[in-house]
Coordinates of all heavy atoms in Angstrom, one line a residue:
M1 N 20.8 225.9 155.9 CA 22.2 226.3 155.7 C 23.2 225.4 156.5 O 24.2 225.0 156.0 CB 22.4 227.7 156.2 CG 23.8 228.2 156.1 SD 24.0 229.9 156.5 CE 25.7 229.9 157.0
V2 N 22.8 225.1 157.7 CA 23.6 224.2 158.5 C 23.7 222.8 157.8 O 24.7 222.2 157.8 CB 23.1 224.1 159.9 CG1 23.8 223.1 160.7 CG2 23.1 225.4 160.6
G3 N 22.6 222.4 157.2 CA 22.6 221.1 156.5 C 23.6 221.1 155.3 O 24.2 220.2 155.0
N4 N 23.6 222.3 154.6 CA 24.6 222.4 153.5 C 26.0 222.3 154.0 O 26.8 221.7 153.3 CB 24.4 223.7 152.7 CG 23.1 223.7 151.9 OD1 22.6 222.7 151.5 ND2 22.6 224.9 151.5
I5 N 26.3 222.9 155.1 CA 27.6 222.9 155.6 C 28.0 221.5 156.0 O 29.1 221.0 155.8 CB 27.8 223.8 156.8 CG1 27.6 225.3 156.4 CG2 29.1 223.6 157.5 CD1 27.5 226.3 157.5
G6 N 27.0 220.8 156.6 CA 27.2 219.4 157.0 C 27.5 218.5 155.8 O 28.3 217.6 155.8
N7 N 26.7 218.7 154.7 CA 26.9 218.0 153.5 C 28.3 218.2 152.9 O 29.0 217.3 152.4 CB 25.9 218.3 152.4 CG 24.5 217.8 152.8 OD1 24.4 216.9 153.6 ND2 23.5 218.4 152.2
A8 N 28.7 219.5 152.9 CA 30.1 219.8 152.4 C 31.2 219.2 153.2 O 32.1 218.7 152.7 CB 30.3 221.3 152.3
L9 N 31.0 219.2 154.5 CA 32.0 218.6 155.4 C 32.1 217.1 155.2 O 33.1 216.5 155.1 CB 31.7 218.9 156.8 CG 31.9 220.4 157.3 CD1 31.5 220.6 158.7 CD2 33.4 220.8 157.0
G10 N 30.9 216.5 155.0 CA 30.8 215.1 154.8 C 31.4 214.7 153.4 O 32.1 213.7 153.3
A11 N 31.2 215.5 152.4 CA 31.8 215.3 151.1 C 33.3 215.4 151.1 O 34.0 214.7 150.4 CB 31.2 216.2 150.1
A12 N 33.8 216.3 152.0 CA 35.3 216.4 152.1 C 35.9 215.4 153.0 O 37.1 215.3 153.1 CB 35.6 217.8 152.7
G13 N 35.0 214.6 153.7 CA 35.5 213.5 154.6 C 35.9 214.0 156.0 O 36.5 213.3 156.8
I14 N 35.5 215.3 156.3 CA 35.7 215.8 157.6 C 34.6 215.4 158.5 O 33.5 215.5 158.3 CB 35.8 217.4 157.5 CG1 36.9 217.8 156.6 CG2 35.9 218.0 158.9 CD1 36.9 219.3 156.3
G15 N 35.0 214.9 159.7 CA 34.0 214.4 160.7 C 33.4 213.1 160.3 O 32.3 212.8 160.8
K16 N 34.0 212.4 159.3 CA 33.4 211.2 158.8 C 33.6 210.0 159.8 O 34.7 209.9 160.3 CB 34.0 210.9 157.5 CG 33.4 209.7 156.7 CD 34.0 209.6 155.4 CE 33.4 208.5 154.6 NZ 34.0 208.4 153.3
I17 N 32.6 209.3 160.0 CA 32.6 208.1 160.9 C 33.0 206.9 160.1 O 32.3 206.7 159.1 CB 31.3 207.9 161.6 CG1 30.9 209.2 162.5 CG2 31.3 206.7 162.5 CD1 29.6 209.2 163.0
P18 N 34.0 206.2 160.4 CA 34.4 205.0 159.6 C 33.2 204.0 159.6 O 32.6 203.7 160.6 CB 35.6 204.4 160.4 CG 36.1 205.6 161.2 CD 34.9 206.4 161.5
G19 N 32.9 203.5 158.4 CA 31.9 202.6 158.2 C 30.5 203.2 158.0 O 29.5 202.5 157.8
A20 N 30.4 204.5 158.0 CA 29.1 205.2 157.9 C 28.7 205.2 156.4 O 29.6 205.1 155.5 CB 29.2 206.6 158.4
D21 N 27.4 205.3 156.1 CA 26.9 205.3 154.8 C 27.3 206.6 154.1 O 27.1 207.7 154.5 CB 25.4 205.2 154.8 CG 24.8 205.0 153.5 OD1 25.5 204.6 152.5 OD2 23.6 205.2 153.3
D22 N 27.9 206.4 152.9 CA 28.3 207.6 152.1 C 27.3 208.1 151.1 O 27.5 209.0 150.3 CB 29.6 207.3 151.3 CG 30.8 207.1 152.2 OD1 30.7 207.6 153.4 OD2 31.8 206.4 151.8
A23 N 26.1 207.5 151.1 CA 25.1 207.8 150.1 C 24.6 209.3 150.3 O 24.2 209.9 149.3 CB 23.9 206.9 150.2
K24 N 24.5 209.7 151.5 CA 24.0 211.1 151.8 C 25.0 212.2 151.2 O 24.5 213.2 150.8 CB 23.8 211.3 153.3 CG 22.7 210.5 153.9 CD 22.5 210.9 155.3 CE 22.9 209.8 156.2 NZ 22.7 210.1 157.6
S25 N 26.3 212.0 151.3 CA 27.2 213.0 150.9 C 27.6 212.9 149.4 O 28.3 213.7 148.9 CB 28.4 213.0 151.8 OG 29.1 211.7 151.6
A26 N 27.1 211.9 148.7 CA 27.5 211.7 147.3 C 27.0 212.9 146.5 O 27.6 213.3 145.5 CB 26.9 210.4 146.8
G27 N 25.8 213.4 146.7 CA 25.2 214.5 145.9 C 26.0 215.8 146.1 O 26.1 216.6 145.2
A28 N 26.5 216.1 147.3 CA 27.3 217.3 147.5 C 28.7 217.3 146.9 O 29.3 218.3 146.8 CB 27.3 217.5 149.0
A29 N 29.2 216.1 146.6 CA 30.5 216.0 146.1 C 30.7 216.6 144.7 O 31.7 217.0 144.3 CB 31.0 214.6 146.1
G30 N 29.5 216.7 143.9 CA 29.6 217.2 142.6 C 29.5 218.7 142.5 O 29.7 219.2 141.4
T31 N 29.3 219.4 143.5 CA 29.1 220.9 143.4 C 30.5 221.6 143.7 O 31.3 221.1 144.5 CB 28.1 221.4 144.4 OG1 28.5 221.1 145.8 CG2 26.7 220.8 144.2
D32 N 30.7 222.7 143.0 CA 31.9 223.4 143.3 C 31.7 224.4 144.5 O 30.5 224.6 144.9 CB 32.3 224.2 142.1 CG 31.3 225.2 141.6 OD1 30.2 225.1 142.0 OD2 31.7 226.1 140.8
F33 N 32.7 225.0 145.0 CA 32.7 225.8 146.2 C 31.9 227.0 146.0 O 31.1 227.4 146.8 CB 34.1 226.2 146.6 CG 34.1 226.9 147.9 CD1 33.9 226.3 149.1 CD2 34.5 228.3 147.9 CE1 33.9 227.0 150.3 CE2 34.5 229.0 149.1 CZ 34.2 228.3 150.3
A34 N 32.0 227.7 144.8 CA 31.2 228.9 144.6 C 29.7 228.6 144.6 O 28.9 229.4 145.1 CB 31.6 229.5 143.2
T35 N 29.3 227.5 144.0 CA 27.9 227.1 144.0 C 27.4 226.9 145.4 O 26.3 227.3 145.8 CB 27.6 225.9 143.1 OG1 28.1 226.2 141.8 CG2 26.2 225.5 143.1
F36 N 28.2 226.2 146.2 CA 27.9 225.9 147.6 C 27.7 227.2 148.4 O 26.8 227.3 149.1 CB 29.0 225.0 148.2 CG 28.9 225.0 149.7 CD1 27.9 224.2 150.3 CD2 29.8 225.7 150.5 CE1 27.8 224.2 151.7 CE2 29.7 225.6 151.9 CZ 28.7 224.9 152.5
V37 N 28.6 228.1 148.3 CA 28.6 229.4 149.0 C 27.3 230.2 148.6 O 26.6 230.7 149.4 CB 29.9 230.2 148.8 CG1 29.7 231.6 149.4 CG2 31.0 229.5 149.5
K38 N 27.1 230.2 147.3 CA 25.9 230.9 146.8 C 24.6 230.3 147.3 O 23.7 231.1 147.8 CB 25.9 230.9 145.3 CG 24.7 231.6 144.7 CD 24.7 231.6 143.2 CE 23.5 232.3 142.6 NZ 23.4 232.2 141.1
Q39 N 24.5 229.0 147.3 CA 23.3 228.3 147.8 C 23.2 228.5 149.3 O 22.1 228.8 149.8 CB 23.3 226.8 147.5 CG 22.1 226.1 147.9 CD 20.9 226.6 147.2 OE1 20.9 226.9 146.0 NE2 19.8 226.7 147.9
A40 N 24.3 228.5 150.0 CA 24.2 228.7 151.5 C 23.8 230.1 151.8 O 23.0 230.3 152.8 CB 25.6 228.4 152.1
A41 N 24.3 231.1 151.1 CA 23.9 232.5 151.3 C 22.4 232.7 151.0 O 21.7 233.3 151.8 CB 24.7 233.4 150.4
E42 N 21.9 232.1 149.9 CA 20.5 232.2 149.6 C 19.6 231.5 150.7 O 18.6 232.1 151.0 CB 20.2 231.5 148.2 CG 20.8 232.3 147.1 CD 20.7 231.6 145.8 OE1 20.2 230.4 145.7 OE2 21.0 232.2 144.7
D43 N 20.1 230.4 151.2 CA 19.3 229.7 152.3 C 19.3 230.5 153.5 O 18.3 230.6 154.2 CB 19.9 228.3 152.6 CG 19.7 227.3 151.5 OD1 18.9 227.6 150.6 OD2 20.4 226.3 151.5
A44 N 20.4 231.2 153.8 CA 20.5 232.0 155.0 C 19.6 233.2 154.9 O 18.9 233.6 155.9 CB 22.0 232.5 155.2
V45 N 19.6 233.9 153.7 CA 18.7 235.0 153.5 C 17.2 234.5 153.7 O 16.4 235.2 154.3 CB 18.9 235.7 152.2 CG1 17.8 236.7 151.8 CG2 20.3 236.3 152.2
G46 N 16.9 233.4 153.1 CA 15.5 232.9 153.2 C 15.1 232.6 154.6 O 14.0 232.9 155.0
T47 N 16.0 232.0 155.4 CA 15.8 231.7 156.8 C 15.5 233.0 157.6 O 14.6 233.1 158.4 CB 16.9 230.9 157.4 OG1 17.1 229.7 156.7 CG2 16.6 230.6 158.9
M48 N 16.4 234.0 157.3 CA 16.2 235.3 158.0 C 14.9 236.0 157.7 O 14.2 236.5 158.5 CB 17.4 236.2 157.7 CG 18.7 235.7 158.1 SD 18.9 235.4 159.8 CE 19.1 237.1 160.4
E49 N 14.5 235.9 156.4 CA 13.3 236.5 155.9 C 12.1 235.8 156.5 O 11.1 236.4 156.9 CB 13.2 236.5 154.4 CG 14.1 237.5 153.8 CD 14.1 237.4 152.2 OE1 13.5 236.5 151.7 OE2 14.6 238.3 151.6
A50 N 12.2 234.4 156.6 CA 11.1 233.7 157.2 C 10.9 234.0 158.7 O 9.8 234.1 159.2 CB 11.3 232.2 157.0
G51 N 12.0 234.2 159.4 CA 11.9 234.6 160.8 C 11.3 235.9 161.0 O 10.5 236.1 161.9
E52 N 11.6 236.9 160.1 CA 11.1 238.2 160.2 C 9.6 238.2 159.9 O 8.8 238.8 160.6 CB 11.8 239.1 159.2 CG 11.4 240.6 159.3 CD 12.2 241.5 158.4 OE1 13.3 241.1 158.0 OE2 11.7 242.6 158.2
Q53 N 9.2 237.4 158.8 CA 7.8 237.4 158.5 C 7.0 236.7 159.6 O 5.9 237.1 159.9 CB 7.6 236.6 157.2 CG 8.1 237.3 156.0 CD 8.1 236.5 154.7 OE1 7.7 235.3 154.7 NE2 8.5 237.0 153.6
M54 N 7.5 235.7 160.2 CA 6.8 235.0 161.3 C 6.7 235.9 162.5 O 5.7 235.9 163.2 CB 7.5 233.7 161.6 CG 6.7 232.8 162.6 SD 5.1 232.3 161.9 CE 5.6 231.1 160.7
S55 N 7.7 236.7 162.7 CA 7.6 237.7 163.8 C 6.5 238.7 163.6 O 5.8 239.0 164.5 CB 9.0 238.4 164.0 OG 10.0 237.6 164.3
M56 N 6.4 239.2 162.4 CA 5.3 240.1 162.0 C 4.0 239.5 162.2 O 3.0 240.1 162.7 CB 5.5 240.6 160.6 CG 6.8 241.4 160.4 SD 6.9 242.8 161.6 CE 6.5 244.1 160.5
K57 N 3.8 238.2 161.8 CA 2.6 237.5 162.0 C 2.3 237.3 163.5 O 1.1 237.4 163.9 CB 2.6 236.1 161.3 CG 2.5 236.2 159.8 CD 2.5 234.8 159.2 CE 2.5 234.9 157.7 NZ 2.5 233.5 157.1
G58 N 3.3 237.0 164.2 CA 3.1 236.9 165.7 C 2.6 238.2 166.3 O 1.8 238.2 167.2
I59 N 3.2 239.3 165.9 CA 2.8 240.6 166.4 C 1.4 240.9 166.1 O 0.6 241.4 166.9 CB 3.8 241.7 165.9 CG1 5.2 241.5 166.5 CG2 3.2 243.1 166.2 CD1 6.2 242.4 165.9
A60 N 1.0 240.5 164.9 CA -0.4 240.7 164.4 C -1.4 239.7 165.0 O -2.6 239.9 164.8 CB -0.4 240.7 162.9
G61 N -0.9 238.7 165.7 CA -1.7 237.7 166.3 C -2.2 236.7 165.3 O -3.2 235.9 165.5
E62 N -1.5 236.5 164.1 CA -1.9 235.6 163.1 C -1.2 234.3 163.2 O -1.5 233.4 162.4 CB -1.7 236.2 161.7 CG -2.5 237.5 161.5 CD -2.1 238.2 160.2 OE1 -1.2 237.7 159.5 OE2 -2.7 239.2 159.9
A63 N -0.2 234.1 164.0 CA 0.6 232.9 164.1 C 0.7 232.4 165.5 O 0.5 233.1 166.5 CB 2.0 233.2 163.6
D64 N 0.9 231.1 165.6 CA 1.1 230.4 166.9 C 2.4 230.8 167.5 O 3.4 231.0 166.8 CB 1.0 228.9 166.7 CG 1.0 228.2 168.0 OD1 0.4 228.7 169.0 OD2 1.6 227.1 168.1
L65 N 2.4 231.0 168.8 CA 3.7 231.4 169.5 C 4.8 230.4 169.3 O 6.0 230.8 169.1 CB 3.4 231.6 171.0 CG 4.6 232.0 171.9 CD1 5.0 233.4 171.4 CD2 4.2 232.0 173.3
T66 N 4.5 229.1 169.3 CA 5.6 228.1 169.1 C 6.2 228.3 167.7 O 7.4 228.2 167.6 CB 5.0 226.7 169.2 OG1 3.7 226.7 169.7 CG2 5.9 225.8 170.0
D67 N 5.4 228.5 166.7 CA 5.9 228.7 165.3 C 6.8 230.0 165.3 O 7.9 230.0 164.6 CB 4.8 228.8 164.3 CG 4.0 227.5 164.2 OD1 4.6 226.5 164.5 OD2 2.8 227.6 163.8
V68 N 6.4 231.0 165.9 CA 7.2 232.3 166.0 C 8.5 232.0 166.6 O 9.6 232.4 166.1 CB 6.4 233.4 166.7 CG1 7.3 234.6 166.8 CG2 5.1 233.7 165.9
V69 N 8.5 231.3 167.8 CA 9.7 231.1 168.5 C 10.7 230.2 167.7 O 11.9 230.4 167.6 CB 9.4 230.4 169.9 CG1 10.7 229.9 170.6 CG2 8.7 231.4 170.8
Q70 N 10.1 229.2 167.0 CA 11.0 228.3 166.2 C 11.6 229.1 165.0 O 12.8 228.9 164.7 CB 10.2 227.1 165.7 CG 9.8 226.1 166.7 CD 8.9 225.0 166.2 OE1 8.3 225.1 165.1 NE2 8.9 223.9 166.9
A71 N 10.8 229.9 164.4 CA 11.4 230.7 163.2 C 12.4 231.7 163.7 O 13.5 231.8 163.0 CB 10.2 231.4 162.5
V72 N 12.2 232.3 164.8 CA 13.1 233.3 165.3 C 14.4 232.6 165.8 O 15.5 233.1 165.5 CB 12.5 234.2 166.5 CG1 13.6 235.0 167.2 CG2 11.4 235.0 165.9
N73 N 14.3 231.4 166.4 CA 15.5 230.7 166.9 C 16.3 230.2 165.7 O 17.5 230.2 165.7 CB 15.1 229.5 167.7 CG 14.8 229.9 169.2 OD1 15.2 231.0 169.6 ND2 14.1 229.1 169.9
S74 N 15.6 229.8 164.6 CA 16.3 229.4 163.4 C 17.0 230.5 162.8 O 18.2 230.4 162.3 CB 15.3 228.8 162.4 OG 15.9 228.4 161.2
A75 N 16.4 231.7 162.7 CA 17.1 232.9 162.2 C 18.3 233.3 163.1 O 19.3 233.7 162.5 CB 16.1 234.0 162.1
D76 N 18.1 233.1 164.4 CA 19.2 233.5 165.3 C 20.4 232.5 165.1 O 21.6 233.0 165.0 CB 18.7 233.4 166.7 CG 19.8 233.7 167.7 OD1 20.5 234.8 167.6 OD2 20.0 232.9 168.7
I77 N 20.1 231.2 164.9 CA 21.2 230.3 164.7 C 21.9 230.5 163.4 O 23.1 230.5 163.3 CB 20.7 228.8 164.8 CG1 20.3 228.5 166.2 CG2 21.7 227.8 164.2 CD1 19.5 227.2 166.4
T78 N 21.1 230.9 162.4 CA 21.7 231.2 161.1 C 22.6 232.4 161.1 O 23.7 232.4 160.6 CB 20.5 231.4 160.0 OG1 19.8 230.2 159.9 CG2 21.1 231.7 158.7
L79 N 22.1 233.4 161.8 CA 22.9 234.7 161.9 C 24.2 234.4 162.7 O 25.3 234.9 162.3 CB 22.1 235.8 162.6 CG 22.8 237.1 162.8 CD1 23.1 237.7 161.4 CD2 21.9 238.1 163.6
R80 N 24.1 233.6 163.7 CA 25.3 233.3 164.5 C 26.3 232.5 163.6 O 27.5 232.7 163.7 CB 25.0 232.5 165.8 CG 24.3 233.4 166.8 CD 23.9 232.5 168.0 NE 23.0 233.2 168.9 CZ 23.2 233.4 170.2 NH1 24.3 232.8 170.7 NH2 22.4 234.0 170.9
T81 N 25.8 231.6 162.8 CA 26.7 230.8 162.0 C 27.3 231.7 160.9 O 28.5 231.6 160.7 CB 25.8 229.7 161.3 OG1 25.2 228.9 162.2 CG2 26.7 228.8 160.4
I82 N 26.6 232.6 160.3 CA 27.1 233.5 159.3 C 28.2 234.4 159.9 O 29.3 234.6 159.4 CB 26.0 234.4 158.7 CG1 25.1 233.5 157.9 CG2 26.6 235.5 157.9 CD1 23.9 234.2 157.4
V83 N 28.0 234.9 161.1 CA 29.0 235.8 161.8 C 30.2 235.0 162.1 O 31.3 235.5 161.9 CB 28.3 236.4 163.0 CG1 29.4 237.1 163.9 CG2 27.3 237.4 162.7
T84 N 30.1 233.8 162.6 CA 31.2 232.9 162.9 C 32.0 232.6 161.6 O 33.3 232.7 161.6 CB 30.8 231.6 163.6 OG1 30.1 231.9 164.7 CG2 31.9 230.7 163.9
L85 N 31.3 232.3 160.5 CA 32.0 232.0 159.3 C 32.8 233.3 158.8 O 33.9 233.2 158.3 CB 31.1 231.5 158.2 CG 30.5 230.1 158.4 CD1 29.5 229.8 157.4 CD2 31.7 229.1 158.4
R86 N 32.1 234.4 158.9 CA 32.8 235.7 158.5 C 34.0 235.9 159.3 O 35.1 236.3 158.7 CB 31.8 236.8 158.6 CG 32.4 238.2 158.2 CD 31.9 239.4 158.9 NE 32.0 239.2 160.3 CZ 31.4 240.0 161.2 NH1 30.4 240.8 160.8 NH2 31.6 239.8 162.5
D87 N 33.9 235.7 160.6 CA 35.1 236.0 161.5 C 36.2 235.0 161.1 O 37.4 235.4 161.1 CB 34.7 235.8 162.9 CG 33.8 236.9 163.4 OD1 33.6 237.9 162.7 OD2 33.1 236.7 164.5
R88 N 35.9 233.8 160.9 CA 36.9 232.8 160.5 C 37.6 233.1 159.2 O 38.8 233.0 159.0 CB 36.3 231.4 160.4 CG 35.9 230.8 161.8 CD 37.0 230.3 162.6 NE 36.6 229.9 163.9 CZ 36.5 228.7 164.3 NH1 36.8 227.7 163.5 NH2 36.1 228.4 165.5
M89 N 36.8 233.6 158.2 CA 37.3 234.0 156.9 C 38.2 235.2 157.0 O 39.3 235.2 156.4 CB 36.2 234.2 155.9 CG 35.4 233.0 155.5 SD 34.0 233.2 154.5 CE 34.4 234.3 153.3
V90 N 37.9 236.1 157.8 CA 38.7 237.3 158.0 C 40.0 236.9 158.7 O 41.1 237.3 158.4 CB 38.0 238.4 158.9 CG1 38.9 239.5 159.3 CG2 36.8 239.0 158.0
Q91 N 39.9 236.0 159.7 CA 41.1 235.5 160.4 C 42.0 234.8 159.5 O 43.2 235.0 159.5 CB 40.6 234.6 161.6 CG 41.8 234.1 162.4 CD 41.3 233.1 163.5 OE1 40.2 232.7 163.5 NE2 42.2 232.8 164.4
A92 N 41.5 233.9 158.6 CA 42.3 233.2 157.6 C 43.0 234.2 156.7 O 44.1 234.0 156.3 CB 41.4 232.2 156.9
Y93 N 42.2 235.2 156.2 CA 42.8 236.2 155.3 C 43.9 236.9 156.0 O 45.0 237.1 155.3 CB 41.7 237.2 154.9 CG 42.2 238.3 154.0 CD1 42.5 238.1 152.7 CD2 42.4 239.6 154.6 CE1 43.0 239.2 151.9 CE2 42.9 240.6 153.8 CZ 43.2 240.4 152.5 OH 43.7 241.4 151.8
Q94 N 43.8 237.3 157.2 CA 44.8 238.0 157.9 C 46.1 237.1 158.1 O 47.2 237.6 158.0 CB 44.3 238.5 159.3 CG 43.3 239.6 159.2 CD 42.7 240.0 160.5 OE1 42.7 239.2 161.5 NE2 42.1 241.1 160.5
E95 N 45.9 235.8 158.3 CA 47.0 234.9 158.4 C 47.7 234.7 157.1 O 49.0 234.7 157.1 CB 46.5 233.5 158.9 CG 46.1 233.5 160.4 CD 45.7 232.1 160.9 OE1 46.0 231.1 160.2 OE2 45.0 232.1 161.9
V96 N 47.0 234.7 156.0 CA 47.6 234.6 154.7 C 48.4 235.9 154.4 O 49.6 235.8 153.9 CB 46.6 234.3 153.6 CG1 47.2 234.5 152.2 CG2 46.0 233.0 153.8
I97 N 47.9 237.0 154.8 CA 48.6 238.3 154.5 C 49.9 238.4 155.3 O 50.9 238.9 154.9 CB 47.7 239.5 154.9 CG1 46.5 239.6 153.9 CG2 48.4 240.8 154.9 CD1 46.9 239.8 152.5
R98 N 49.9 237.8 156.5 CA 51.1 237.8 157.4 C 52.2 236.9 157.0 O 53.3 236.9 157.5 CB 50.7 237.6 158.8 CG 50.1 238.8 159.5 CD 49.9 238.5 161.0 NE 48.4 238.2 161.1 CZ 47.9 237.4 161.9 NH1 48.6 236.7 162.7 NH2 46.6 237.2 162.0
M99 N 51.9 235.9 156.1 CA 52.8 234.9 155.6 C 54.0 235.6 154.9 O 53.7 236.5 154.0 CB 52.2 233.9 154.7 CG 51.3 232.9 155.4 SD 50.7 231.7 154.3 CE 49.7 230.7 155.3
P100 N 55.2 235.2 155.2 CA 56.3 235.8 154.4 C 56.3 235.2 153.0 O 56.0 234.0 152.8 CB 57.5 235.4 155.2 CG 57.1 234.2 156.0 CD 55.7 234.3 156.2
V101 N 56.8 236.0 152.1 CA 56.8 235.5 150.7 C 58.1 234.8 150.4 O 59.1 235.0 150.8 CB 56.6 236.7 149.7 CG1 56.7 236.2 148.3 CG2 55.3 237.4 150.0

């Protein structure tokens, strides 16, 4: 998910380093916003499910502790990113509502 956000920002030219290679962001430039959001949401759900499954395997003693920690940390970062994006979207909506017509 974080990679998708980075690709979208790169495609928009945000955070772009002058002289950097544009080949990486060329693929993301052709997708529309709805497709990007849908794919990011699907990736987030997949990451959360993988973290949960790895936790269950860890509890059952079927997985290595390092793999469990990595999966749980990845799920935690994804959840924090989603919550931050939600908060920003709500904040932007509230600012638009407060604008005089």
